[in-house]
Amino acid sequence: MSIWINDFIKINRYSRPGLKLKGRVKGILHYTANPGAPAKNHVTYFGKTLIEQNEKLPEKDRRFASAHIFVDKNEARCIIPLDEVSYQANDGKYRGIPELKPNANYLAIGVEMCQEKDGSIHPDTIKRTEDVFVELSKMFGWDPVKDIVRHYDVTHKNCPAPWVTDGKKFTDFKQRIADKMNEKGEDLTMSQAQELQKQIDALKKQLEKKVDKQEDIETVDKWAEKDWKEAKENGYYDGSRPKDFLRREESSIVVNRLRRNFLKLIGGNTEEIKKLEAKLKDIEKESEITQSNKHNLE
């Protein structure tokens, strides 16, 4: 199961242009600079509020901004599909990451850490952000130490401010992600989980088809109704499982019932029936010997 919830905003000019990424070579870390607002609030802001605000402004004053994933102490929400552009890191003229030139928006995934009311970043938010980057790194083959960068590293914007001021915290953050990726017994990545789910769904469909094709063994086809009724009334079958397979032990019962009825039919009395049964046994024994000899010759 993915560490984040997909909660995509609608396509619009200002935050989700619907353009496809040209690559996913880096993950860019941000912070929201919006104290007290959890991840869910940013779904509303970038999906509705920003659009409404921009429509009231002159074109030159309109803001274009977003990121892919927003993380708080309780959850993470992905608001833009991971194969689409987000307006996250193309401000200013500085371009400090060569792999992201000329426009990082087309080449990276953006992750925002939400702030508490006092402006701090909760330890659980940091831990969850680490887990988000573990999953992203597995998905896109990133080396966390090299491929996770700050917004500051790309454009020199003071973001995430606490880890621009103290770069060691960011270095330690990346190292913890690397350590988590090296742990044994790690969870499936999102892509692995999705592939596994596809296989499970396919097996379920195959099973459903087989079940659908199975006939009801308690029903009799029209063409056999008369004979089945007669066989049942004459005592050769008990009337159950007309479509089921006939086992050898069951067939022996049917054959013996036929045998007894046949002898009764041709025998006039009990003494004659006994004589006929003895003669029939001799015939059956001779037949068995003949079949055995034939088998040995083959």
Side-chain angles (χ1 to χ4, degrees), residues 11 74 105 114-115 118 159 177 196 201 239 255 260 270 283:
I11 292 177
N74 297 311
N105 291 342
C114 297
Q115 292 176 276
D118 62 3
C159 172
I177 296 169
L196 180 60
D201 292 341
V255 169
R260 286 194 295 270
T270 303
I283 294 171

Side-chain angles (χ1 to χ4, degrees), residues 55-223:
E55 293 300 328
K56 298 175 183 178
L57 297 173
E59 185 69 28
K60 64 181 181 64
D61 296 330
R62 294 179 181 181
R63 183 185 181 216
F64 294 78
S66 57
H68 291 90
I69 300 174
F70 289 80
V71 187
D72 64 31
K73 61 186 177 184
N74 297 311
E75 64 177 3
R77 289 183 180 259
C78 181
I79 73 167
I80 295 176
L82 299 181
D83 63 347
E84 290 186 19
V85 167
S86 70
Y87 292 139
Q88 55 158 323
N90 196 45
D91 47 305
K93 295 181 180 180
Y94 179 81
R95 295 291 178 271
I97 306 296
E99 298 94 328
L100 296 180
K101 292 180 180 179
N103 188 336
N105 291 342
Y106 284 85
L107 296 166
I109 301 296
V111 178
E112 295 257 8
M113 295 185 294
C114 297
Q115 292 176 276
E116 299 301 298
K117 289 183 179 180
D118 62 3
S120 65
I121 301 173
H122 196 281
D124 289 346
T125 300
I126 295 172
K127 182 178 181 297
R128 182 168 281 102
T129 305
E130 291 170 7
D131 294 339
V132 166
F133 272 115
V134 166
E135 187 164 338
L136 290 173
S137 296
K138 291 177 182 178
M139 289 175 69
F140 304 125
W142 295 341
D143 175 348
V145 175
K146 296 179 180 179
D147 294 326
I148 298 173
V149 299
R150 300 167 297 183
H151 190 172
Y152 172 81
D153 300 315
V154 183
T155 69
H156 265 183
K157 181 176 180 178
N158 190 27
C159 172
W163 292 359
V164 173
T165 302
D166 188 348
K168 186 177 183 305
K169 288 184 178 179
F170 179 58
T171 300
D172 293 344
F173 169 79
K174 292 190 292 181
Q175 188 57 55
R176 288 195 298 273
I177 296 169
D179 292 342
K180 285 184 177 182
M181 290 183 68
N182 291 327
E183 289 176 358
K184 293 182 179 179
E186 59 194 26
D187 293 336
L188 294 175
T189 66
M190 183 174 71
S191 57
Q192 289 172 331
Q194 288 173 339
E195 181 59 31
L196 180 60
Q197 188 60 53
K198 285 180 183 179
Q199 294 176 13
I200 293 171
D201 292 341
L203 288 172
K204 283 182 179 178
K205 287 182 180 179
Q206 290 178 11
L207 181 60
E208 288 170 0
K209 286 180 180 179
K210 287 182 179 179
V211 171
D212 290 341
K213 288 181 178 178
Q214 287 182 351
E215 296 181 301
D216 183 357
I217 62 172
E218 297 296 341
T219 61
V220 184
D221 286 335
K222 289 288 184 182
W223 58 267

Side-chain angles (χ1 to χ4, degrees), residues 4 7 12 15 23 31 41 63-64 97 122 135 147 186 190 204 206 208 218 266 269 275-276 289 291 297:
W4 58 77
D7 193 3
N12 67 89
S15 54
Y31 81 140
N41 285 31
R63 183 185 181 216
F64 294 78
I97 306 296
H122 196 281
E135 187 164 338
D147 294 326
E186 59 194 26
M190 183 174 71
K204 283 182 179 178
Q206 290 178 11
E208 288 170 0
E218 297 296 341
I266 62 176
N269 53 52
K275 290 179 181 179
L276 288 169
I289 293 171
Q291 289 296 327
L297 288 173

